[in-house]
Amino acid sequence: MDLHGGNIYKILREEGRKVLDYSANINPLGLPQSLKDKLKEDLSFLEQYPDPEYIEMREAIGKHNDIHKENIIVGNGATEILFLYGKAQNPNHVVIVSPTFAEYERAFYKSKKITYFPLEEKEDFKLSLERLKERIEELNHGEKVDLVVICNPNNPTGGFIPKEEIEELGKLGGEKKFKILVDEAFIEFVHGGLSQSVASYRNKNIFIVRALTKFFAIPGVRLGYGISFDEKLNKKIKEIREPWSVNGIAEGVTKVLLEDREYIKKSEEWIEKEKKWFYQELLKISKVKPYKTQVNFILVKLVGELEVKEFKKLMLEKNILIRDASNFQFLNDKYFRLAIRDRKSNEEVLRSIKDVIR
Amino acid sequence: MDLHGGNIYKILREEGRKVLDYSANINPLGLPQSLKDKLKEDLSFLEQYPDPEYIEMREAIGKHNDIHKENIIVGNGATEILFLYGKAQNPNHVVIVSPTFAEYERAFYKSKKITYFPLEEKEDFKLSLERLKERIEELNHGEKVDLVVICNPNNPTGGFIPKEEIEELGKLGGEKKFKILVDEAFIEFVHGGLSQSVASYRNKNIFIVRALTKFFAIPGVRLGYGISFDEKLNKKIKEIREPWSVNGIAEGVTKVLLEDREYIKKSEEWIEKEKKWFYQELLKISKVKPYKTQVNFILVKLVGELEVKEFKKLMLEKNILIRDASNFQFLNDKYFRLAIRDRKSNEEVLRSIKDVIR
C-alpha cells in the first residue's frame, strides 16, 4: 500500500540519506514555535482522559471559523471524520469528482454504487459545474445519486472552485435530494484562506471536512474536524462514534495553534509567493506541463517519452522524493505531484528536474 | 453519557477546587520521566505521518511481550482495537461476563444477540468457569454462542482468573466454535504482570486487548494494542481499518515507555503494597464491603442505608471524586469503585469514608 511518501522517506533517512520530501503536502515552516512552547510547559493533557465531549476544543475551532461549537465535530485526523460521515450518512450512490484523494472510495465502501466524475485534462482538470450537474441529472435516471464528493482545493490537481459554485450545487442538492461532502483539508493554502470556505453559507446539505495537519505541519498529531449544519446527522455521528478517538495532545494544542497569528501569517505569505513562482518556473521547463495550482502542491505531466516510475527513480538518485500520481483515477504513468516548499529547496528540485528530463 | 470521572474532575478543577480523583484508574506515579525527557528532546514524530504499518512500534510491543510483530495490532487506544475486532469478527451471539466495562456492548452493537453472564455477589464476583461453560452449553441450544468476552482483570470488580482457565475456555471454543475476547487492559497491575497473560498460549481462538494508558498514566496519548494469532482475522482487520489512526506521539513514545524498567518496577512495588493494605483498611470500616482486588481499583458495597448517589455527593464535599458503579450491569445503587493511589491519598479517602458513613 503506497499510503504516503512519508514512509519511504523514513526508510531512506535510516539509510543515512538526506532526502528532500516532495511527496507529502506539509507546510515546510515545520512545527509552530507556539506548539513547541506549549509542549515544553504543559504535558498535563497526556495524563488525563480527553474531555469526551471535546467542548473547549470545539469552542476554539468554532471561534476560529465563526461557527457555533454544536456544528463542529472533531476527529482523529480528517480521516476519522470522513469515515464517520460515511457510516452515518450511508449513501447509496456516490459521485466522486476525480482524480482525487483515494480514501473517499474506502470511506464509502458500503455504498451500492460509486461513479467517478472525471475532471478533464483538456480543461486543465478544472471542475465544470455545468457538466457535473448534467451528469448527476443523467445518472438520476438510473440509481439515484445521493452524495457528491468534492475535494476543494483538490488533491492532486491543485484546482479550486469558488464557494459560490459549491453553494449552487448545495441548493440543487436540496431540490434533487442529494448531499455534498466537501473536503477542505487544504483550504488554508488558498488565497483568502478560510474566507473562501463554503461553510459561510451554513447549508445543511453540505458537510465540510477540515484538517489542521497540513497547514500546521503536524501530521503526527492527528487533528481534523467536520463542519455540519445538519442536526440530525450530527446526532447520528455522536451516537455511532467511538469514545476518546481524539487524543489529548490534539485536544491540548488546538487552541494554541489556531491563535498563532504569526505562524498563520508567515505561512500565507510563503505560499502566496511560492506557488506562483514555482508554477512559472515549471512552465519554463520543456517536456513537463504543470497545472495551475491554488495550493501547496502541484500536479505535473511528463510530456516526453519518460514515464513516471523511471522519473521518480532518477529524482530519488538526486535525493528528491516525488509523488508518483499514476495511481490516481483518470491519471496515468505520465503524472506526478510535487509539494511546494521553501525557495531554496524548490530551486534544487527545479534544477534536478531539468537534469533528469533533458 | 457518564463516560469518565475525568470530565467532572476537570470542571471541578476549573472551579478552583482541588479534588482527589478516585474515579479514574490511572497509575498515580503519573507521567514517566522517560516520556517527558523524550518529548523534550524530540518532537520530530509530530511533523511526520506515522508509519502506516507501524512497524517499529509493533516490534517494540512484540519484543516486550515476546511475540512476533505480525501478531500485534496497534490502536488509537484499546477502544479502537475493541471496535475493530467487533467489525472484523462480527459475531452473531456474544456472551459478556458482567458487571464489566460498558464499551463491549457498544463494540458489538451489530450482533444479533448479547447475553450477559452474571458474576455472583455471593461468590464475591469471582468468575466460575464451570458455571460459564454450562451456561454456554445451555445457550447453544438456542442462538449459537460465537463469542465470549471477558475482562481480565475485570473492571469494576478487580477479580482475575488465572490464564490456565482462560486457555481451558479457549480450547472449549475450539471444539464448540466460539471465540474469546480477553481484555487485559489492567494486567500490568496483577502480581506477576504480563507473565500472567493468556497470550503465552498463542491460542488463535483468543484475542487479547491491551492498553498502555492505565499503567503508564497516559490516557491522553491513546495507545492500545491487540494480540492475535489468527492470521485470517489479522488480515481482515488490516483491510477494514482506517489509515494512520494511531498518532505519532503514541508511535514515538511506545519504545521509550516499554523500556522504562525503573517506572515499571516502581509501579509494581507500589501496587503490590497498596492494594492489599487498602483492602484490609476498607474491611475494617463497618457499613462498607470491599471486594478483594488484584489490581489498582477496588469495588465496594455500601451495606447500610446510604445509597451511592448521596454517598458520592458527600464524598465530593470532602473533595474526593468516586466512581458511582450503580450503572454497571447487575450492580445497583449500593456500589462504588475506588481507584488505589498513593498511601497519603488513600489514607485521606479512608478517613473521609469513615466520616461520611458513620
Side-chain angles (χ1 to χ4, degrees), chain B residues 286-304:
Chain B
S286 66
K287 296 193 194 162
V288 301
K289 175 185 177 184
Y291 298 89
K292 214 165 201 164
T293 182
Q294 308 286 337
V295 282
N296 62 323
F297 54 81
I298 187 160
L299 183 69
V300 188
K301 186 181 184 179
L302 293 163
V303 291

Side-chain angles (χ1 to χ4, degrees), chain A residues 3-4 13-14 31 46-49 52 56 76 83 106 110 214 218 220 222 241 244-245 248, chain B residues 3-4 13-14 31 46-49 52 56 76 106 110 214 218 220 222 239 241 244-245 248:
Chain A
L3 264 179
H4 251 271
R13 203 186 41 206
E14 278 161 10
L31 281 190
L46 299 179
E47 287 183 293
Q48 291 155 23
Y49 277 91
E56 284 178 26
N76 183 36
F83 279 75
R106 284 191 7 116
K110 285 200 169 165
K214 325 281 180 181
I218 47 163
R222 313 306 299 134
R241 74 176 308 164
W244 309 296
S245 64
Chain B
L3 264 179
H4 252 271
R13 202 186 41 205
E14 279 161 9
L31 282 191
L46 299 179
E47 287 183 292
Q48 291 156 22
Y49 276 91
E56 283 178 26
N76 183 36
R106 287 195 359 123
K110 285 199 171 166
K214 326 281 179 180
I218 47 164
R222 314 306 299 135
E239 276 165 28
R241 75 175 307 163
W244 309 297
S245 64

Side-chain angles (χ1 to χ4, degrees), chain A residues 124-189:
Chain A
D124 283 348
F125 298 113
K126 234 186 142 258
L127 174 59
S128 154
L129 193 67
E130 278 319 302
R131 209 160 53 75
L132 175 60
K133 290 200 291 195
E134 280 164 31
R135 183 73 179 126
I136 293 169
E137 196 59 40
E138 210 177 283
L139 288 166
N140 274 344
H141 294 307
E143 194 78 54
K144 209 199 135 322
V145 171
D146 46 15
L147 177 69
V148 178
V149 178
I150 303 177
C151 184
N152 197 41
N154 189 38
N155 176 14
T157 63
F160 180 69
I161 64 164
K163 59 180 176 180
E164 292 80 9
E165 295 196 23
I166 304 277
E167 170 62 8
E168 202 185 316
L169 197 67
K171 278 185 185 156
L172 186 70
E175 288 165 34
K176 307 277 181 180
K177 305 283 171 232
F178 63 83
K179 305 281 178 191
I180 295 115
L181 177 101
V182 184
D183 182 352
E184 295 187 340
F186 292 97
I187 195 151
E188 290 91 344
F189 295 104

